[in-house]
């Protein structure tokens, strides 16, 4: 009961525009610096360097919420281009994760596609890769359509997306996207029972189904989860089916289960850390608190240490 209330409070805060706007002025607070790698490209690149030195690879995500004008979407696109250029200039091992709503998807589809193309062209010049994060269900089909357009019509082979195992359609989508690099996740948004499983056991079962599907058909697979049961099952499945370590990677969020991240590297697996950064940190931080009540410990410690 208490957990549900606090979850709803954090989710409400994450969507509150006044709080999000105010937080840009505060700078990282309440322990957010444990899960957000600073507000500038420079601070984020520094974190990537530290992690690279320990054998982990990264994906950078410039945080941005509530983009509602073309100017904001262009600003976000420019920032992503600059981030990609900084990755190259600094010679760090990181790719980029982007959300298409930040690039104007809700304003105009073709405008968003042209912004994506600018980012992908920058990435292509340096042999780098861009992952389109998957947002809520209302953006799922359009995200997959744009992914195909970018790959087939515009010839970008350096772009992939994310499939969420809580969706009923996930297995069909994974089969349809054979050969395309996918990040597979359980799913982070609140979706209706009409489109998504609500039961954790069913979501986990479907998660293993789609992971096995993509691995078995020879496609590059990123397993993005902090769940040690899932990770153990993936390792066993890969061994039993002679799937080479080079065909998959594990991914976790910056600041979560660092010991597990390092032990996977020691075992010889590729471990990619998802690194969010930027002054629009508040919504992301609130959603992490909503997801897992234990994370509130971060916030409480951070609150008292300021
Ligand atoms: P889950 O929350 O199901 O936890 C299962 C078990 O794992 C727990 O009971 C506990 O035992 C253990 N565990 C989990 N977290 C722990 C922690 N911090 N410390 C200790 N134990 C822990 N979603 C989306 O909709 N679109 C997207 O594009 C992405 N992208 C993305 C990228 C990356 C790199 C990650 C890691 C996640 C995403 N997600 C996402 C989020 C994803 O869909 C999901 O909501 C979260 O990862 C939570 O699910 P998990 O599989 O991590 O474990």
């Amino acid at each position: 009961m208490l957990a549900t209330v606090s979850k709803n409070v954090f989710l409400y805060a994450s969507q509150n525009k006044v709080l999000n706007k105010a937080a840009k002025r505060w700078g990282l607070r309440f322990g957010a610096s444990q899960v957000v790698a600073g507000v500038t490209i420079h601070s984020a690149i520094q974190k990537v360097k530290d992690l690279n030195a320990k054998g982990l690879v990264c994906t950078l995500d410039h945080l941005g919420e509530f983009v509602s004008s073309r100017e904001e979407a262009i600003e976000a696109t420019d920032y992503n281009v600059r981030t990609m250029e900084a990755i190259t200039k600094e010679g760090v091992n990181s790719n980029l994760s982007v959300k298409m709503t930040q690039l104007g998807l809700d304003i105009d589809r073709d405008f968003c596609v042209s912004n994506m193309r600018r980012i992908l062209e920058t990435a292509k010049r340096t042999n780098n890769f861009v992952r389109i994060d998957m947002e809520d269900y209302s953006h799922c089909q359009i995200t997959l359509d744009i992914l195909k357009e970018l790959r087939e019509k515009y010839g970008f082979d350096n772009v992939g997306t994310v499939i969420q195992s809580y969706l009923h359609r996930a297995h069909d989508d994974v089969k349809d996207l054979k050969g395309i690099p996918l990040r597979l996740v359980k799913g982070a948004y609140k979706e209706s029972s009409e489109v998504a499983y609500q039961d954790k056991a069913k979501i986990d079962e479907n998660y293993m189904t789609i992971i096995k599907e993509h691995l078995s058909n020879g496609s590059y697979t990123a397993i993005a989860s902090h769940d040690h049961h899932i990770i153990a099952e993936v390792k066993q499945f890969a061994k039993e089916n002679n799937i080479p370590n080079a065909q998959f990677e594990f991914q976790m969020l910056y600041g979560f289960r660092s010991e597990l991240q390092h032990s996977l590297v020691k075992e010889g697996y590729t471990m990619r850390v998802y690194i969010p950064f930027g002054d629009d940190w508040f919504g992301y931080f609130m959603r992490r608190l909503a997801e897992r009540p234990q994370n509130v410990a971060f916030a409480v410690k951070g609150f008292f240490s300021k």
Side-chain angles (χ1 to χ4, degrees), residues 133-134 162 164 183 185-189 200 224-228 251-253 256-257 274 291-292:
D133 284 351
M134 186 58 80
V162 180
Q164 301 148 320
R183 175 197 295 154
V185 300
K186 293 186 189 177
Y189 298 82
K200 182 174 161 29
S225 174
H226 308 106
D227 187 338
H228 47 280
Q251 298 189 350
M252 292 187 210
L253 303 181
F256 291 83
R257 308 212 79 173
Y274 183 107
E291 214 162 60
R292 199 172 148 77

Side-chain angles (χ1 to χ4, degrees), residues 12-167:
Y12 172 78
S14 76
Q15 287 159 4
N16 185 297
K17 289 188 187 176
V18 176
L19 285 175
N20 274 274
K21 207 170 161 195
K24 285 189 186 179
R25 292 194 306 269
W26 300 338
L28 291 183
R29 290 268 182 97
F30 315 126
S33 59
Q34 302 208 33
V35 296
V36 177
V39 294
T40 63
I41 296 181
H42 179 74
S43 56
I45 292 278
Q46 195 48 53
K47 297 286 190 280
V48 176
K49 281 185 182 167
D50 296 346
L51 289 163
N52 284 172
K54 292 176 183 143
L56 297 96
V57 297
C58 302
T59 183
L60 281 169
D61 166 43
H62 180 241
L63 295 167
E65 314 256 335
F66 310 116
V67 168
S68 56
S69 71
R70 283 177 181 258
E71 291 70 31
E72 287 169 316
I74 289 172
E75 211 177 291
T77 306
D78 289 345
Y79 211 97
N80 275 294
V81 166
R82 284 208 299 280
T83 305
M84 190 49 95
E85 286 169 350
I87 289 171
T88 311
K89 184 165 167 268
E90 298 286 335
V92 291
N93 191 334
S94 178
N95 60 35
L96 199 64
S97 290
V98 297
K99 288 188 178 55
M100 287 204 297
T101 54
Q102 218 191 102
L103 308 177
L105 183 59
D106 291 339
I107 301 166
D108 175 343
R109 182 194 192 281
D110 291 345
F111 167 67
C112 174
V113 170
S114 77
N115 289 336
M116 268 306 296
R117 285 172 62 198
R118 268 188 62 208
I119 298 170
L120 286 170
E121 271 152 18
T122 313
K124 187 89 189 162
R125 278 200 291 277
T126 54
N127 270 332
N128 211 334
F129 177 83
V130 179
R131 174 86 58 193
I132 304 172
D133 284 351
M134 186 58 80
E135 302 183 60
D136 66 313
Y137 187 70
S138 69
H139 294 102
C140 179
Q141 187 58 49
I142 195 166
T143 300
L144 299 182
D145 291 345
I146 292 178
L147 172 77
K148 285 199 174 167
E149 185 175 332
L150 291 166
R151 291 185 65 95
E152 289 162 17
K153 181 170 168 195
Y154 295 109
F156 289 109
D157 56 1
N158 60 333
V159 59
T161 192
V162 180
I163 297 293
Q164 301 148 320
S165 76
Y166 62 14
L167 293 185

Side-chain angles (χ1 to χ4, degrees), residues 246-305:
Q247 199 200 312
F248 65 98
E249 65 185 45
F250 292 109
Q251 298 189 350
M252 292 187 210
L253 303 181
Y254 175 71
F256 291 83
R257 308 212 79 173
S258 305
E259 277 177 32
L260 182 54
Q261 295 183 14
H262 291 294
S263 73
L264 287 166
V265 172
K266 285 201 187 98
E267 287 172 61
Y269 296 104
T270 302
M271 177 71 234
R272 189 175 302 276
V273 185
Y274 183 107
I275 305 197
F277 72 100
D279 63 359
D280 215 351
W281 56 273
F282 188 77
Y284 174 84
F285 184 49
M286 288 298 117
R287 284 193 294 279
R288 298 292 81 76
L289 295 182
E291 214 162 60
R292 199 172 148 77
Q294 290 91 321
N295 295 345
V296 176
F298 282 157
V300 175
K301 270 194 221 150
F303 188 79
F304 287 109
S305 64

